[in-house]
Amino acid sequence: MLDVLHLSKTFRSGRGSVSALKDISFHLNAGESVMLIGKSGSGKTTLLNCLGGLEKPDTGRVMCGGVDINALTAHELSLFHRSRVGFVFQSSNLISYLTVKENISIPLELNGISGLTRDRRVLELLSEIGLSGVGGAFPRELSGGETQRVAFARAIAHGPALLLADEPTASLDSATAGQLIQWIRDLSLKQGC
């Protein structure tokens, strides 16, 4: 499912060169879950961004389903993102002027799923995350934990093969965080994500 081969990434700034990733290699099978743990600034977000094709590594390759994502054209990478990857960012990145339902609908619409099928999937996801009654609310009307759960629902709405979550439980209480982690594990087993 995912092969990471000799990944390295260095950032240059006024502070000099910072090696965020240094010769990282690993393999993941479909349905496996991995948690990255490290101190702030250790390269966790950089690694996730490289795995999802949001950043290009200086050296190495990221193979997802046999496809070298760093060799994709901008158009091919866009198609890859919208069909095969789900992202949950540190900040939810929900679109403020769209309702919760509209935010969750985005990946479905991008993949040609509309109408009743889309609406059923959104309602199903809202129920699963315990937010059945908030589809018409805007992100500013939600708590931090609710916002993060909506971001997670949006990330998995289209059934991605790869889910990348950057500190998905940071703004959640321990009970909700535990539920979200269990949901991620269940998704991995059920969908091979």
Side-chain angles (χ1 to χ4, degrees):
M1 166 57 193
L2 188 66
D3 286 298
V4 178
L5 309 165
H6 306 288
L7 215 58
S8 294
K9 179 76 174 175
T10 300
F11 293 100
R12 289 162 185 70
S13 71
R15 297 175 11 184
S17 291
V18 176
S19 181
L21 304 175
K22 192 184 235 180
D23 197 29
I24 306 289
S25 295
F26 62 91
H27 171 81
L28 291 175
N29 294 311
E32 283 188 293
S33 296
V34 174
M35 186 179 302
L36 300 174
I37 300 173
K39 63 183 183 176
S40 181
S42 64
K44 300 180 303 291
T45 297
T46 300
L47 178 59
L48 290 175
N49 287 343
C50 287
L51 296 179
L54 297 178
E55 285 184 46
K56 286 199 179 236
D58 297 330
T59 62
R61 293 175 25 191
V62 176
M63 306 290 292
C64 186
V67 174
D68 183 350
I69 64 169
N70 297 314
L72 298 175
T73 66
H75 178 70
E76 291 168 335
L77 187 58
S78 177
L79 293 175
F80 172 78
H81 284 152
R82 78 177 197 206
S83 64
R84 305 217 10 121
V85 182
F87 289 100
V88 181
F89 299 97
Q90 283 182 18
S91 59
S92 68
N93 285 355
L94 295 179
I95 299 172
S96 63
Y97 58 85
L98 296 180
T99 65
V100 165
K101 179 182 174 186
E102 291 166 336
N103 266 284
I104 296 172
S105 295
I106 291 170
L108 296 168
E109 291 178 15
L110 288 172
N111 286 291
I113 301 166
S114 59
L116 223 44
T117 304
R118 178 201 59 219
D119 293 345
R120 271 195 291 260
R121 178 68 174 147
V122 170
L123 291 175
E124 171 189 302
L125 287 166
L126 285 170
S127 175
E128 283 185 42
I129 62 172
L131 296 175
S132 293
V134 303
F138 290 92
R140 67 181 173 277
E141 299 171 320
L142 304 177
S143 71
E146 289 171 332
T147 301
Q148 196 66 353
R149 285 186 277 164
V150 171
F152 184 75
R154 180 183 63 187
I156 64 157
H158 60 298
L162 179 63
L163 174 66
L164 300 170
D166 193 355
E167 299 189 32
T169 61
S171 64
L172 303 178
D173 61 83
S174 58
T176 305
Q179 289 173 338
L180 184 63
I181 294 300
Q182 187 59 51
W183 198 28
I184 291 171
R185 287 184 181 140
D186 293 346
L187 176 73
S188 296
L189 294 172
K190 187 167 83 174
Q191 290 184 198
C193 177

